[in-house]
């Protein structure tokens, strides 16, 4: 296990154990539905890089659904990694052979193998725009051809009645995480700009919780580099209050 600590890093160990229940109390199962929305489209992947997965609910589902996949999980929180490891072992009997955890920063971690999947669920919102661009520069040389990057995050709708409600919610979340963990980030980064600049193309997206949550699937050099199909676009952008 690689260890990296920065004095300025937020401390998510403080909320590791209650995090799942805090999430359920505030959002129900909406965030977990975001994490697993595109799970079926990831089952042909062989090597995953999972960044900031918290207590590991997404990774456990991915390992259980894709028995040939191996994964590297990266987190600055040792407590979160312990929960993630425990959940992965409960989900699949061969987790010890398929999962490696790294107690380090995603901004300094170099993947040990070319990966064909990156997963960042509710993690990029912890980064500033320069940090996100640094992350892209760090991981891009280690992506396999046609690699996928799946993202879930909060979103402020560009217009409509939910715009101000989303703004207030995001501000409240950042304030809460600053008080609980010391997180210094105060605004959502523009991940679409960073991933597009890095050479990835968005191939699918899904809005939920009145447009406040988004799940996206990006790909490096897709075999048919066309915009999302009209059929999928019409389905994925519909507001879905149930998640």
């Amino acid at each position: 296990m690689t260890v990296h600590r920065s004095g300025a890093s937020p401390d998510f160990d403080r909320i590791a154990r209650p995090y799942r229940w805090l999430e359920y109390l505030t959002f129900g199962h909406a965030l977990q539905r975001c994490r697993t929305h595109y799970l079926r489209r990831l089952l042909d992947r062989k090597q995953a890089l999972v960044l900031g997965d918290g207590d590991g609910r997404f990774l456990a589902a991915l390992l259980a659904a894709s028995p040939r996949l191996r994964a590297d999980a990266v987190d600055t929180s040792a407590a979160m990694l312990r929960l993630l490891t425990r959940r992965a072992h409960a989900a699949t009997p061969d987790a010890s052979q398929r999962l490696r955890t790294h107690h380090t920063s995603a901004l300094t971690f170099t993947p040990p193998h070319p990966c064909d999947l990156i997963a960042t669920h509710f993690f990029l919102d912890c980064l500033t725009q320069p940090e996100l661009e640094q992350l892209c520069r760090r991981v891009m040389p280690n992506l396999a051809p046609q690699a996928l990057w799946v993202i879930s995050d909060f979103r402020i709708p560009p217009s409509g009645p939910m715009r101000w409600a989303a703004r207030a919610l995001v501000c409240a979340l950042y304030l809460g995480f600053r008080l609980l963990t010391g997180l210094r980030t105060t605004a959502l980064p523009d991940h679409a700009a960073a991933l597009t600049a890095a050479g990835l193309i968005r191939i699918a997206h899904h809005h939920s919780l009145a447009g406040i949550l988004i799940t996206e699937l990006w790909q490096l050099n897709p075999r048919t580099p066309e915009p999302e199909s009209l059929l999928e676009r019409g389905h994925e952008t519909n507001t879905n209050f149930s998640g």
Side-chain angles (χ1 to χ4, degrees), residues 13-71:
D13 285 357
R14 303 174 188 175
I15 62 169
R17 287 192 175 277
Y19 180 78
R20 180 183 183 184
W21 302 110
L22 290 171
E23 177 183 311
Y24 287 163
L25 283 172
T26 51
F27 296 102
H29 293 274
L31 271 60
Q32 183 63 5
R33 283 193 289 263
C34 279
R35 296 182 185 103
T36 58
H37 183 80
Y38 287 119
L39 186 62
R40 293 181 182 178
R41 297 183 63 167
L42 310 179
L43 301 186
D44 62 341
R45 304 290 103 177
K46 302 298 189 297
Q47 186 69 47
L49 175 61
V50 182
L51 305 177
D53 196 42
D55 59 15
R57 277 168 284 158
F58 166 75
L59 182 56
L62 179 64
L63 289 171
S66 185
R68 294 182 297 171
L69 178 133
R70 295 177 179 270

Side-chain angles (χ1 to χ4, degrees), residues 81 103 122 127 135 144 162 182 187 194 198 200 239:
L81 284 176
H103 181 207
F122 303 101
L127 306 180
L135 175 66
M162 292 304 297
L200 289 101
T239 297

